[in-house]
Amino acid sequence: MGLNRRIFLQQARNLLLTLSATELAQVLRGSKSWAAPLTKSYLQTLAQPNARKLALLVGIDRYGSGQHLNGCATDVELQRELLIHRFGFNPRDILTLTNQQAAREDIETAFIEHLTEQAKPGDVVVFHFSGYGNRVQWSQTGESGDVERRLENSLLPADGTIPTKGAPAANDLLWGTLALLARSLPTQQLTMILDTSFAGEGKLLSGNLRSRSPLMQPAPRPNPQDLAFQEQLKSRFNLAADTLSQGRKSLSLPGTVFLAAREDEVATEGQWGEWSSGLFTYAFTRHLWQIVPASTLYIALNRTAESMQPYNNSQNPRLLRGSTLKPPFLTYSLLPRDFEGSEGVVIGIEENGATAQLHLAGLPAWILSNYLPNSRFWVVSESQEMRVQLQLQSRAGLTAKAKILTPSDGEEIPPVSVGQQVREWIRVLPRNLGLTVALSTELERIERVDATSAFSNVVAVSSVVTAGEQGADCLFGKVAPEPNSTPNPSEEESPETSSQKASASSYALFTVGRDKIPSTRGDAGEAIKLGVERLTPKLKILLAAKLLRLTTNEFSSRLGIRATLNLLKPEVETLMQRETSRSAKIVQEQSPTISVPSDSTQEVPNRFVNRSPLLTVDTRSPIQYRIENKSDRAIYVMMFGIDASGSAIALYASTPQESTDASKLQSPRIEGGKTLNLPTSSSFNATLSGAMGIVETFLVCAPAPFSKTLEVLASTSYPQFDGERLLELHNPLEVAKALLQDLHAASAVPPTFLNGAMDVYGLDVNAWATFRFVYHSS
């Protein structure tokens, strides 16, 4: 079937929209502009309707050795639904191998038979692996007679270790084998996603997250059968001799390769309520559900890292060095089928067409895990019109059941069918939310008892669990004592003194990935009860941040807003851009040119390979948010955030008289079609401290003034000031709750929509827009 002309033209127009994004120009600035040849080249690709799309998805939760993970099969489901409903893969062209189906020989055979033997030049191929990584030791004798030893990365199949008469051999899928399999493909349009890692401490848990790093020492030698398979591949596909396994550092994989973590980091999986998944896979696929209209590799990596940040700052996804990238740098080498993105898709029709089963992987975990019944969605039709409403009835993990609503005026609506995408409309959230605190497994039993008792008296905490039992918002654990900075070598340490020092650990709060939260470490020997009391203000800040994240709706809002983070010195430079990409005004705008590398074999920029893909901003450099109101009505703006020291901050304006009077506090106002810089002064340094670390900022825009929020802000006495002020919040939790109440009031959701529930917020996603900016301050 040929490509429909309307869809073809729409894809062409949206291609220009995608590639004019300033984020790509920011990453690759300084290069030449060549929009015309790029557009022509990609339109030629779009015009080839016969290109096939093949995928092999592998996820292993259960290993024969008794090791187990919980989220790998979910990763396969996430990828499969995304490929089918967002990128147009035929279900028959996706092969999944889970648990015992994924023995080493099964994976290798499936790769050859399903991918290599079926693919043709120009076809798109995706290979995904979720499971344990491993390392295998090589030993070989050099020309001088010396024995050379090295380690090679590998993927651990379901039948990883095999017994032998001598030293055990690893039955792993070696890195060299994976490279040969990739090079056996007749197409260069290959994407590999490896949600695993190869380094680690041999621990089951990393904080409250489950580790996908090896739990055993590297096997002393590889399986001879896998080495023989490598020789067969070389011979059958006429591969160059130097593609035989060369060790983990020198052999690159062709195509585009996403790794869940850097070489020395641990890839993890988390629990999000009723389901588990790889931290990377969930963030990556969620981003691709919502990005409009398509995502470049660089932006996909950056936004994925931002979604992972609240959970684990020590896991940084990356593009593998040596990957061959060619324009237009699109994820999976494809444009998605629906250019406005979605929060999910209809995967089943039940009860004679009265209810629909939904897959809601387009929502962030922090929102979906708190989603309540009566939330509403629109069903997207082929004409992009939204006439059919769905009302959420229940949810279990990523799957939800929704009632198909019949219009009260009796208007005939089209039937809902499997494959139709759904977009968020009414977000229903609980009013009474608290933090779940996980207790580190390193705590003694009596310490866990004391901590549970102490946390029960903290209003911001709703439950306490042992790490690894269920999902949590933060981790409570020990920090090892700091070594003496100036030890006295003449003093001999007694056994008693040594024992006292060993027990002199202090308590602190961590992310669930066990990154220490700034300014939470206590004194050595501190009692747990006193430690929890000391941490109570910080727990309120963490809960405030949780509530603020629940308001993020950049992709689902249709309020026409574009927000840009700019560096002002030494010269003006755009760092990040966010926009409500479903707004009609935003969609209509496009720029005719873009900035991309003129060299079609350009390597991945170093910042995406060697460091965190999160943006880094010098704390000494002034920054400014530029907010463009694309709507035809005035909007009000509030800015909140958590700075690198862990303090809660807010930016607002005031008049000189009686700054504590709620009637005198103001939030910036932007008229329709106008632009505002925030802060307005170019010399304003938007930071409270020079601390280095993660900065998380929220820009909240709404047509209604934030009356309740300003009232709560004014309830705390601050020094008098005139104009703009960046203040550390003394009551961040009350401010966050007031903001949600303002958005609830501005949404004006009819009480009938909520079935009379009074303990919920009903939020119309088109009544406001919250943008989340995350970066490293250095």
Side-chain angles (χ1 to χ4, degrees), residues 636-667:
Y636 298 84
V637 183
M638 296 291 290
M639 188 183 91
F640 306 98
I642 310 297
D643 73 3
S645 68
S647 299
I649 56 176
L651 174 68
Y652 62 92
S654 173
T655 58
Q657 300 87 13
E658 302 178 32
S659 62
T660 58
D661 184 349
S663 65
K664 304 299 181 183
L665 293 181
Q666 303 170 359
S667 55

Side-chain angles (χ1 to χ4, degrees), residues 150-182:
R150 64 174 184 267
L151 294 176
E152 179 173 348
N153 289 344
S154 61
L155 307 180
L156 192 66
D159 58 344
T161 303
I162 55 175
T164 60
K165 292 183 179 179
N171 193 37
D172 297 13
L173 179 61
L174 296 172
W175 195 258
T177 305
L178 187 62
L180 287 168
L181 287 168

Side-chain angles (χ1 to χ4, degrees), residues 611-625:
R611 304 197 302 273
S612 166
L614 288 180
L615 184 74
T616 299
V617 178
D618 191 331
T619 57
R620 298 166 296 181
S621 302
I623 59 175
Q624 193 174 63
Y625 292 90

Side-chain angles (χ1 to χ4, degrees), residues 25-293:
Q26 162 225 322
V27 174
L28 304 170
R29 55 184 173 272
S31 52
K32 298 180 180 179
S33 175
W34 51 287
L38 172 63
T39 305
K40 179 180 178 181
S41 171
Y42 201 71
L43 290 183
Q44 289 173 347
T45 302
L46 285 174
Q48 298 176 9
N50 295 324
R52 196 174 182 184
K53 291 169 277 194
L54 300 164
L56 174 59
L57 313 177
V58 181
I60 309 170
D61 285 320
R62 296 292 179 265
Y63 285 86
S65 58
Q67 300 167 319
H68 71 280
L69 295 166
N70 294 327
C72 298
T74 304
D75 288 358
V76 166
E77 176 192 355
L78 288 166
Q79 281 284 10
R80 185 177 185 276
E81 298 296 334
L82 176 79
L83 294 176
I84 293 172
H85 300 295
R86 188 79 167 114
F87 289 94
F89 279 62
N90 189 318
R92 294 190 298 271
D93 289 330
I94 300 177
L95 178 61
T96 63
L97 300 177
T98 58
N99 296 327
Q100 297 311 306
Q101 300 171 330
R104 178 186 63 81
E105 290 188 8
D106 294 331
I107 298 173
E108 293 170 345
T109 300
F111 198 107
I112 293 295
E113 294 181 353
H114 184 68
L115 301 181
T116 302
E117 294 180 351
Q118 293 196 84
K120 297 178 181 178
D123 286 354
V124 170
V125 171
V126 173
F127 174 77
H128 178 103
F129 177 86
S130 285
Y132 281 118
N134 204 9
R135 281 177 175 166
V136 178
Q137 183 172 292
W138 279 76
S139 298
Q140 63 183 38
T141 304
E143 295 180 359
S144 63
D146 296 332
V147 177
E148 177 187 358
R149 292 183 175 84
R150 64 174 184 267
L151 294 176
E152 179 173 348
N153 289 344
S154 61
L155 307 180
L156 192 66
D159 58 344
T161 303
I162 55 175
T164 60
K165 292 183 179 179
N171 193 37
D172 297 13
L173 179 61
L174 296 172
W175 195 258
T177 305
L178 187 62
L180 287 168
L181 287 168
R183 294 174 189 226
S184 72
L185 292 165
T187 179
Q188 296 183 354
Q189 309 241 52
L190 167 66
T191 301
M192 286 192 174
I193 303 98
L194 306 179
D195 198 340
T196 187
S197 54
F198 314 104
E201 302 175 351
K203 295 182 179 179
L204 183 67
L205 294 177
S206 178
N208 195 51
L209 304 177
R210 192 170 289 269
S211 168
R212 290 187 175 178
S213 290
L215 299 179
M216 60 189 76
Q217 294 295 319
R221 61 191 179 95
N223 185 356
Q225 293 181 1
D226 197 45
L227 299 182
F229 179 69
Q230 289 187 6
E231 293 295 339
Q232 294 172 14
L233 288 174
K234 289 172 52 184
S235 174
R236 177 177 175 182
F237 298 103
N238 194 29
L239 300 174
D242 61 359
T243 59
L244 186 59
S245 179
Q246 298 294 319
R248 62 184 175 86
K249 291 186 177 180
S250 60
L251 186 62
S252 63
L253 298 176
T256 303
V257 183
F258 287 97
L259 289 178
R262 287 170 42 179
E263 184 72 22
D264 58 345
E265 295 175 344
V266 175
T268 57
E269 64 178 35
Q271 272 186 283
W272 325 112
E274 309 90 345
W275 82 99
S276 298
S277 67
L279 183 61
F280 171 72
T281 297
Y282 186 81
F284 183 68
T285 55
R286 196 275 297 181
H287 165 76
L288 295 179
W289 270 106
Q290 292 192 321
I291 194 66
V292 179

